Amino acid sequence: MMSRIATTLFCTVAPVALFAQAVELRSPDDFINVEGEIVGYNGVMVQVQTSVGLVAVPASEVVCIGDGCAEVMASNDFGLTADAFQGVRGSEPEIVLGASEDLSVGFTLSEYGDLHRTITGAYAVTNASETRVELASVDELRLENASTGETATLTQVATETDPDITIEAVSLNGTAEEAYAAPGAWATNTRLTHQLLGLKAFSVVVAPNAGISQISVNDLARVFAGEVTNWSQVGGADVGILPLRLPPNSEIGAELQRLIMDPAGKEISSNVLTMADEAGVAASINQFPGSVSIVSTENADDALMVDVTGSCGIAVAPTEFNIISGDYPLTRPVMATYNTPASTSLITEVYDFASSDVAQGLLENEGFINHSATMMDSGEKNARLSGLLEGTFDDAQRAAAAQMFQVLFDAERLSPTMTGGPASGPEGAWNRAMLIDLIDLLEAGETAGREVIFVGYGQSAAGSDAAIAASEAAANAFKGLLERNAANTLSAGGYTVSSYGFGNVSPATCVDGQVAGSEYTRVEVWMR
């Protein structure tokens, strides 16, 4: 799996270790990768002294990486500033050939330990790569790659021992620091901060007399914080709210705080009534007027569930497609969080395997949601496109809406959906898993000969034209990524690839990102 994702084009100059101000200049798609000492800048090109001579690199196309970046910008006399680059980051840990590592793995919930054992056990049995895999015990996996000399051991431990890797539910709401400037970084990187392993979702269940059919994530946090006490405050009936919760040490109880309250910066009120189990919650929602709770989607009563909206007010139902596409705001990604950076590529390969069709099928039997790529219901697609005929648009949006209707009228939406532009670690992990899902579908051959379409949506503080431009750029970046990393798959299957950007016209969900900025983009995958 990793060999496919990591196939990329490099224009690499040999590294140098003796320069006082050594830096790495890397383009987001990894096409440019130069290491050495910055010795000049002419307003466009940065001159870098490397071990093989002087190399010129366009500053606006690269990220400056290393502690020497700040040093040279503070002391240079040729006018180089941080604004000249796409970004500036501190030093990154290096993957070293022949490296060896022993990493411990802990879990915030015992259920995640079972998930991890399923993944590592299946990897040991089915692995067909050049990595030699030995399941020394149910809690220890040993890995060795003869061609690179890398070795690694994964050992399961108690979470309270401060493990190197924590398996936990991670929020895709709220904010997080930028980890990747563009798709090439998270797609080809083996020095990851997060990787997606499993998927679940919450559903909001509400008493019938509450008078609401949807609720926002922010209002949900306010309800459980005790700031909203009557349904009329959020557009419902004049009925008092009775919030119910599961115990704080339960799976749902813990993740209510982590995934809903923490991103909103709120704490659960002491007045929230605690119930023993989900069966008790279900009975109480039907019995007590104005009651509300959050339960696992697989255990929710369809008649009591309400849609959930993000920041823009688009209501999204907790259907399977909406969950695995990431459209539904209360999706619960379970990820491997690296507390200690990996020094080999071996662990990355194991966790990439978690997104394979084989692993997802096994995890589905364990109660997780299979996020392998699937097609959207045609009725939902048609309803979305029909809305374009009744929409109110400005001039830029009107042109985009007409193109959207024409391009997608005879196309089908696939579930893989990614965050475009600068991404946080959790977003990069989600994107990486979605890319694996897409490539697996294309390799299966059932869709051979069709056109893969990357469709960008976006929002921008500068208006519709800027949103459309940003969405076009994001979609094109993913198009290029697939063409580089799955060239053999595309050629063998007779696929063509295209990209479009429709800006803020008819997105399926709120176009939000964790990384702060004036623009956000989201990229869907369609096929015709």
Side-chain angles (χ1 to χ4, degrees):
M1 188 68 63
M2 185 57 207
S3 60
R4 188 166 65 241
I5 297 297
T7 301
T8 188
L9 299 176
F10 288 94
C11 175
T12 305
V13 175
V16 60
L18 301 179
F19 297 117
Q21 298 173 324
V23 302
E24 177 184 2
L25 301 183
R26 184 195 308 166
S27 62
D29 60 6
D30 278 339
F31 189 76
I32 300 173
N33 192 345
V34 174
E35 295 186 47
E37 180 187 6
I38 295 176
V39 295
Y41 175 62
N42 64 7
V44 177
M45 307 294 287
V46 173
Q47 288 80 46
V48 184
Q49 187 66 51
T50 76
S51 61
V52 295
L54 189 66
V55 175
V57 176
S60 63
E61 296 185 15
V62 297
V63 176
C64 186
I65 301 170
D67 297 335
C69 295
E71 182 180 349
V72 73
M73 285 182 289
S75 61
N76 78 86
D77 56 3
F78 34 79
L80 181 62
T81 67
D83 292 339
F85 296 106
Q86 280 206 13
V88 178
R89 298 204 299 267
S91 297
E92 297 184 350
E94 292 295 327
I95 299 295
V96 181
L97 293 181
S100 178
E101 63 185 350
D102 296 318
L103 297 180
S104 57
V105 187
F107 316 95
T108 56
L109 295 170
S110 60
E111 178 187 21
Y112 301 157
D114 297 336
L115 172 147
H116 193 265
R117 281 183 280 273
T118 297
I119 292 169
T120 53
Y123 183 76
V125 172
T126 64
N127 178 53
S129 73
E130 59 187 8
T131 300
R132 186 173 69 83
V133 184
E134 177 188 357
L135 195 61
S137 70
V138 70
D139 291 331
E140 182 175 297
L141 187 73
R142 298 175 183 172
L143 307 158
E144 180 179 3
N145 187 308
S147 64
T148 65
E150 296 173 315
T151 62
T153 302
L154 270 176
T155 305
Q156 299 188 27
V157 297
T159 299
E160 55 267 22
T161 61
D162 294 326
D164 299 307
I165 300 171
T166 303
I167 311 301
E168 59 184 350
V170 177
S171 179
L172 291 176
N173 299 321
T175 60
E177 292 183 358
E178 178 183 334
Y180 309 109
W186 51 255
T188 61
N189 208 335
T190 55
R191 297 163 290 188
L192 304 169
T193 63
H194 298 79
Q195 283 184 270
L196 179 64
L197 303 186
L199 192 62
K200 286 198 169 186
F202 292 128
S203 283
V204 182
V205 288
V206 179
N209 71 328
I212 66 166
S213 60
Q214 62 187 60
I215 188 170
S216 72
V217 176
N218 186 59
D219 283 342
L220 199 58
R222 293 169 61 211
V223 164
F224 280 90
E227 298 172 4
V228 174
T229 58
N230 191 290
W231 286 116
S232 63
Q233 294 175 258
V234 290
D238 185 12
V239 176
I241 297 177
L242 175 62
L244 310 175
R245 65 172 296 188
L246 293 169
N249 60 350
S250 68
E251 176 188 358
I252 301 297
E255 292 178 5
L256 167 61
Q257 180 66 48
R258 181 191 300 270
L259 303 185
I260 296 175
M261 307 304 290
D262 287 349
K266 300 183 185 300
E267 295 292 332
I268 297 174
S269 169
S270 59
N271 295 327
V272 174
L273 181 62
T274 300
M275 308 291 291
D277 52 42
E278 287 188 299
V281 167
S284 298
I285 294 294
N286 270 315
Q287 181 179 356
F288 298 126
S291 56
V292 57
S293 191
I294 297 171
V295 296
S296 298
T297 297
E298 64 265 27
N299 295 326
D301 184 338
D302 291 349
L304 301 175
M305 287 192 298
V306 297
D307 297 348
V308 178
T309 70
S311 60
C312 67
I314 296 177
V316 182
T319 65
E320 181 179 1
F321 184 92
N322 289 342
I323 291 168
I324 66 177
S325 67
D327 289 355
Y328 181 63
L330 297 187
T331 294
R332 293 164 52 204
V334 179
M335 296 191 179
T337 299
Y338 288 84
N339 307 312
T340 300
S343 59
T344 76
S345 63
L346 301 179
I347 308 304
T348 311
E349 292 180 14
V350 175
Y351 292 152
D352 275 343
F353 172 77
S355 292
S356 68
D357 290 344
V358 171
Q360 285 300 301
L362 293 172
L363 293 176
E364 189 174 9
N365 295 331
E366 299 286 338
F368 291 87
I369 297 170
N370 188 329
H371 64 69
S372 298
T374 188
M375 296 284 188
M376 184 183 216
D377 177 78
S378 59
E380 295 181 14
K381 183 210 81 169
N382 291 337
R384 184 176 177 192
L385 294 183
S386 296
L388 294 172
L389 304 178
E390 303 172 358
T392 301
F393 306 113
D394 60 32
D395 289 344
Q397 292 172 325
R398 189 176 300 110
Q403 184 185 44
M404 179 179 171
F405 191 88
Q406 182 180 27
V407 170
L408 302 182
F409 179 76
D410 58 351
E412 298 176 279
R413 184 184 169 191
L414 299 177
S415 55
T417 306
M418 297 90 160
T419 295
S424 68
E427 288 173 314
W430 177 275
N431 290 350
R432 189 181 180 97
M434 295 299 104
L435 182 62
I436 292 172
D437 287 345
L438 175 59
I439 294 175
D440 277 351
L441 177 73
L442 300 180
E443 289 190 341
E446 296 178 4
T447 56
R450 301 181 70 179
E451 178 186 11
V452 181
I453 312 171
F454 287 96
V455 179
Y457 295 90
Q459 62 183 40
S460 172
S464 297
D465 284 321
I468 292 170
S471 67
E472 287 177 343
N476 190 57
F478 279 91
K479 172 181 177 289
L481 179 68
L482 182 68
E483 289 174 330
R484 289 193 302 273
N485 292 287
N488 292 338
T489 299
L490 296 173
S491 177
Y495 294 100
T496 58
V497 187
S498 60
S499 63
Y500 298 87
F502 303 129
N504 46 11
V505 174
S506 189
T509 189
C510 297
V511 182
D512 294 325
Q514 289 192 329
V515 179
S518 60
E519 295 180 341
Y520 293 111
T521 53
R522 184 173 172 81
V523 178
E524 299 175 358
V525 181
W526 290 63
M527 183 169 283
R528 63 179 176 184

